[in-house]
């Protein structure tokens, strides 16, 4: 869509893929690593503009716990930087870590658990500037969308049936 930048964080190492041949300078997620180390250690961030292999990679490798799709209104270079900061996010400090560490935002099973079981107030920083995160599901041929409430309208317009808001939790100590 013209409105959104759609990119995929692809764990080419886990999936056993070579860098797409038509990508001259890949956007490595782990940009803090030495340049010579990145091709052997880092997922890459791809868009349809980067490679003709975008759709074929999604078709053949979706469902193998190695692709996370992200939608944003940011321009591509800004989104790449946002994802690089997210990959270094420190839950303890609520900001990108200065240490060489990585949060599992590029691993669908890990990111899904983090988004499912973490309080919304604790992940709202992750969604600043992100419109949606699309992940594989445990069920074959299904997927999950994590998005702020503002994204409900575009999803409804596309024909998605959205769940009702859950009942608020009642704290017995109140």
């Amino acid at each position: 869509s013209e409105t959104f930048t759609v990119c995929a964080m692809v764990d080419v190492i886990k999936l056993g893929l070579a860098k797409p041949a038509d990508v001259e300078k890949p956007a490595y997620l782990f940009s803090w690593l030495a340049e010579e180390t990145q091709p052997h250690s880092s997922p890459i961030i791809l868009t349809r503009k980067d490679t003709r292999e975008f759709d074929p990679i999604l078709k053949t490798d979706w469902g193998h716990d190695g692709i996370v799709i992200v939608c944003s209104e940011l321009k591509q270079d800004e989104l790449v930087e946002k994802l690089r900061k997210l990959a270094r996010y420190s839950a303890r400090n609520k900001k990108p870590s200065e240490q060489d560490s990585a949060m599992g935002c590029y691993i669908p099973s890990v990111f899904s658990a983090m988004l499912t079981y973490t309080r919304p107030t604790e992940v709202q920083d992750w969604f600043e500037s992100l419109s949606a995160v699309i992940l594989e599901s445990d069920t074959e041929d299904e997927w999950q969308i994590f998005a702020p409430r503002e994204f409900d309208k575009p999803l409804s317009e596309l024909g998605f049936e959205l769940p009702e808001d859950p009942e608020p939790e009642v704290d017995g100590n109140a």
Side-chain angles (χ1 to χ4, degrees):
S1 155
E2 299 284 330
T3 310
F4 296 104
T5 300
V6 177
C7 72
M9 291 185 281
V10 181
D11 192 344
V12 291
I13 296 135
K14 180 177 185 173
L15 296 173
L17 301 175
K19 170 187 75 67
D22 56 348
V23 175
E24 289 181 35
K25 187 165 173 34
Y28 289 106
L29 183 63
F30 302 162
S31 60
W32 63 89
L33 296 177
E35 227 174 276
E36 63 274 7
T37 306
Q38 292 175 3
H40 311 288
S41 307
S42 177
I44 57 176
I45 303 167
L46 296 173
T47 68
R48 281 191 177 96
K49 292 178 185 176
D50 297 327
T51 179
R52 292 181 305 278
E53 295 180 45
F54 187 86
D55 288 334
I57 287 171
L58 293 184
K59 277 188 175 168
T60 58
D61 294 293
W62 186 263
H64 299 283
D65 204 31
I67 301 172
V68 172
I69 297 175
V70 179
C71 305
S72 175
E73 293 181 18
L74 294 174
K75 292 180 180 161
Q76 183 174 342
D77 58 336
E78 295 170 325
L79 181 55
V80 166
E81 286 310 309
K82 168 74 178 178
L83 294 174
R84 287 174 172 163
K85 287 179 181 171
L86 181 60
R88 293 185 78 161
Y89 188 83
S90 165
R92 181 176 303 147
N93 300 324
K94 299 198 184 302
K95 63 180 184 179
S97 172
E98 297 302 318
Q99 300 173 350
D100 290 344
S101 61
M103 179 176 82
C105 65
Y106 61 95
I107 305 169
S109 58
V110 173
F111 205 25
S112 174
M114 291 165 49
L115 293 171
T116 300
Y117 299 110
T118 305
R119 291 187 175 137
T121 54
E122 293 179 28
V123 297
Q124 71 187 29
D125 289 349
W126 302 350
F127 277 94
E128 186 177 302
S129 309
L130 299 183
S131 301
V133 173
I134 304 171
L135 302 170
E136 305 167 358
S137 173
D138 291 339
T139 307
E140 192 174 323
D141 297 328
E142 291 186 9
W143 37 277
Q144 307 169 55
I145 296 178
F146 293 89
R149 278 285 166 211
E150 301 84 62
F151 206 64
D152 283 3
K153 186 174 184 214
L155 288 174
S156 295
E157 290 171 357
L158 290 171
F160 288 91
E161 292 181 31
L162 303 173
E164 297 294 321
D165 283 334
E167 293 295 319
E169 290 183 26
V170 177
D171 184 356
N173 299 323

